[in-house]
Amino acid sequence: MVTVTPLVRRSSFIVERVRVHAEELAYLWQRRRAARRSPELALHDFTYLAERIEAHLQGMLVAGEALGAMFGDVLRGDDRDEVFSAAWALLRSGRPDNARRVLEAFAAADGPVIEGFADALTMAPAVHTEATLLAALVHGSPAHAAAAALALASHRRLDTSSAQFGQLLRYEDPGVAALAWRALLVLDSSPDVPRPPFAEALRRPVAALRSAVLEVAVWRGEAWVPEAIRRLAADGDACALGWYAALCPEDEQRAVLELLSAQPVPQRVALAARLGRPQALAAVLAWMADPDPALAAAAGQAWERMTGLSVEGKRTSLPPAADADPIEEDFPVELWLPDLPRAQAQWAENGERWSAGQRWCRGFDVQTALTSEARRRVDLEAFWDFGARAALSGTRVFPPPAAV
């Protein structure tokens, strides 16, 4: 009689597949970080990206008790997103021993990976981490304290009136200070806590810090911030110029366009699209006729972003610069020039309606209303700009962007 020995399963998962899930999660997390305010992706694209990230996380969690042994060494790596991937999975496993691994590695980390830990500690439940985060806020290095503040704020466990947090907002390292300011973005302002040092922070000539401070001020509805943005934009501050485009009232659109004219081609056209006002539409239509192919192509993209109508025409290549690398000569930058007659026909058909509107994105007037269809179509930058305008006027129609 023939007998068959039963198959003995040595593992309930395939190690290589779990590691692939971790790599994909790290890659997609990097994309998510870059896409939070994308002028190209819509909210449903961002949601789909988040769903893919969650799916890869579930693929890692099948490792069960072996997860800590598999990814403990990754926690001590130097890649921010790989550290996030490992730390988030270990924290989401719900096991106290895995949380301890993450917290020990967090305490020993330095450099950019601290923000990877901050992302993971923010995104995961704080049931096993809150006590350590509170201790890090008081006793940790400034970078660790700022990361802990961001995570605690996301879990509504940060005391913004504490002396330690106030020191972080003023810390000399702008990266640390910016991380602390991001913690304020997720919390509602309260009259019972000290006023954040807005003016002091805005005087510091650091773009990333100013960006964080202005975002907090706008979403808190600070009455002084429109004038501060005008002043900073007039001085050439790039972040303030972006906010000026997003927030400017109808009677200041010409002033914004004058400031834009001094910007390099990509920024100039992108800011005009963010402005979205009727005068910006007219300016972009004129730029499409410019002999500079880079300006004309960028204008065509901005036109589609504002109107929702394609004007894609002939494909061309930019000539390499005189000092270009040989690789650039072999692979020149390719552009789609706009079909100017088509754009002019679209203006002839829709110009009266566009001119009567206030602020256009993907064919929707998004100055004062955001319909369900508009929410599905407009890009993330326009979506958050709509919420910021409402918040600045005194009404939060939805929460600000996620802290991570």
Side-chain angles (χ1 to χ4, degrees), residues 292-294 296-297 313-319 332-338:
D292 178 359
K314 186 177 67 173
R315 192 172 187 171
T316 189
S317 299
L318 287 180
V333 176
E334 294 189 337
L335 303 172
W336 288 97
L337 294 176

Side-chain angles (χ1 to χ4, degrees), residues 188-212:
D188 295 329
S189 58
S190 171
D192 302 328
V193 299
R195 182 178 178 78
F198 288 110
E200 179 183 336
L202 287 176
R203 283 195 293 268
R204 299 178 64 180
V206 182
L209 178 58
R210 279 187 173 178
S211 176

Side-chain angles (χ1 to χ4, degrees), residues 25-362:
L25 197 159
Y27 165 70
L28 291 173
W29 185 255
Q30 186 276 331
R31 284 186 56 191
R32 181 191 180 281
R33 290 194 296 108
R36 285 192 303 148
R37 292 169 179 79
S38 171
E40 299 170 353
L41 300 181
L43 189 59
H44 65 86
D45 299 313
F46 192 74
T47 301
Y48 176 60
L49 184 57
E51 290 172 351
R52 291 178 63 191
I53 289 171
E54 178 67 24
H56 285 296
L57 171 70
Q58 296 301 322
M60 293 178 68
L61 293 179
V62 301
E65 295 181 1
L67 196 66
M70 288 181 64
F71 293 101
D73 290 343
V74 179
L75 295 174
R76 289 170 173 78
D78 57 4
D79 185 286
R80 168 182 174 169
D81 299 305
E82 290 179 1
V83 166
F84 163 80
S85 173
W88 191 40
L90 290 167
L91 291 170
R92 284 284 299 273
S93 73
R95 294 174 58 92
D97 56 332
N98 283 341
R100 185 177 64 254
R101 282 187 174 94
V102 172
L103 293 171
E104 289 173 353
F106 169 56
D110 59 13
V113 296
I114 291 179
E115 291 201 47
F117 281 107
D119 291 350
L121 292 162
T122 294
M123 292 287 288
V127 61
H128 298 304
T129 60
E130 182 178 340
T132 302
L133 291 173
L134 289 169
L137 181 62
V138 178
H139 303 294
S141 73
H144 288 85
L150 180 61
L152 289 167
S154 299
H155 297 299
R156 302 298 190 270
R157 302 297 296 166
L158 176 65
D159 178 8
T160 57
S161 64
S162 70
Q164 293 83 4
F165 183 68
Q167 292 169 1
L168 291 173
L169 296 175
R170 295 179 167 87
Y171 193 67
E172 60 184 354
D173 183 332
V176 170
L179 197 59
W181 278 93
R182 281 168 55 193
L184 285 178
L185 185 64
V186 301
L187 298 173
D188 295 329
S189 58
S190 171
D192 302 328
V193 299
R195 182 178 178 78
F198 288 110
E200 179 183 336
L202 287 176
R203 283 195 293 268
R204 299 178 64 180
V206 182
L209 178 58
R210 279 187 173 178
S211 176
V213 174
L214 286 176
E215 187 168 27
V216 170
V218 168
W219 280 90
R220 284 186 168 220
E222 296 286 335
W224 53 266
V225 77
E227 179 55 35
I229 286 172
R230 291 186 193 94
R231 185 176 66 254
L232 289 169
D235 291 339
D237 184 275
C239 176
L241 190 53
W243 277 117
Y244 195 15
L247 303 174
C248 84
E250 187 175 11
D251 59 356
E252 293 183 31
Q253 54 184 307
R254 185 176 298 279
V256 175
L257 285 168
E258 289 177 358
L259 292 174
L260 298 189
S261 65
Q263 302 300 307
V265 166
Q267 293 91 325
R268 181 196 319 172
V269 181
L271 287 167
R274 188 174 182 183
L275 173 61
R277 292 288 192 177
Q279 289 187 24
L281 270 168
V284 167
L285 181 61
W287 291 337
M288 279 192 276
D290 196 279
D292 178 359
L295 176 56
Q301 293 175 341
W303 179 266
E304 182 171 355
R305 185 183 172 198
M306 289 187 286
T307 67
L309 301 174
S310 174
V311 290
E312 193 173 273
K314 186 177 67 173
R315 192 172 187 171
T316 189
S317 299
L318 287 180
D323 58 349
D325 186 276
I327 294 180
E328 295 180 50
E329 296 180 2
D330 293 336
F331 300 96
V333 176
E334 294 189 337
L335 303 172
W336 288 97
L337 294 176
D339 183 337
L340 186 59
R342 190 194 310 176
Q344 292 168 336
Q346 291 170 357
W347 177 262
E349 181 179 353
N350 302 286
E352 185 174 347
R353 177 172 63 88
W354 290 336
S355 297
Q358 297 185 66
R359 191 185 297 269
W360 295 95
C361 180
R362 311 292 176 185

Side-chain angles (χ1 to χ4, degrees), residues 339-400:
D339 183 337
L340 186 59
R342 190 194 310 176
Q344 292 168 336
Q346 291 170 357
W347 177 262
E349 181 179 353
N350 302 286
E352 185 174 347
R353 177 172 63 88
W354 290 336
S355 297
Q358 297 185 66
R359 191 185 297 269
W360 295 95
C361 180
R362 311 292 176 185
F364 298 91
D365 189 345
V366 297
Q367 173 62 21
T368 58
L370 201 62
T371 65
S372 57
E373 180 63 14
R375 282 189 180 227
R376 195 179 70 83
R377 296 279 303 281
V378 303
D379 56 71
L380 286 166
E381 185 174 62
F383 177 80
W384 295 122
D385 282 350
F386 176 85
R389 286 192 295 272
L392 190 59
S393 68
T395 303
R396 278 195 181 185
V397 292
F398 45 74

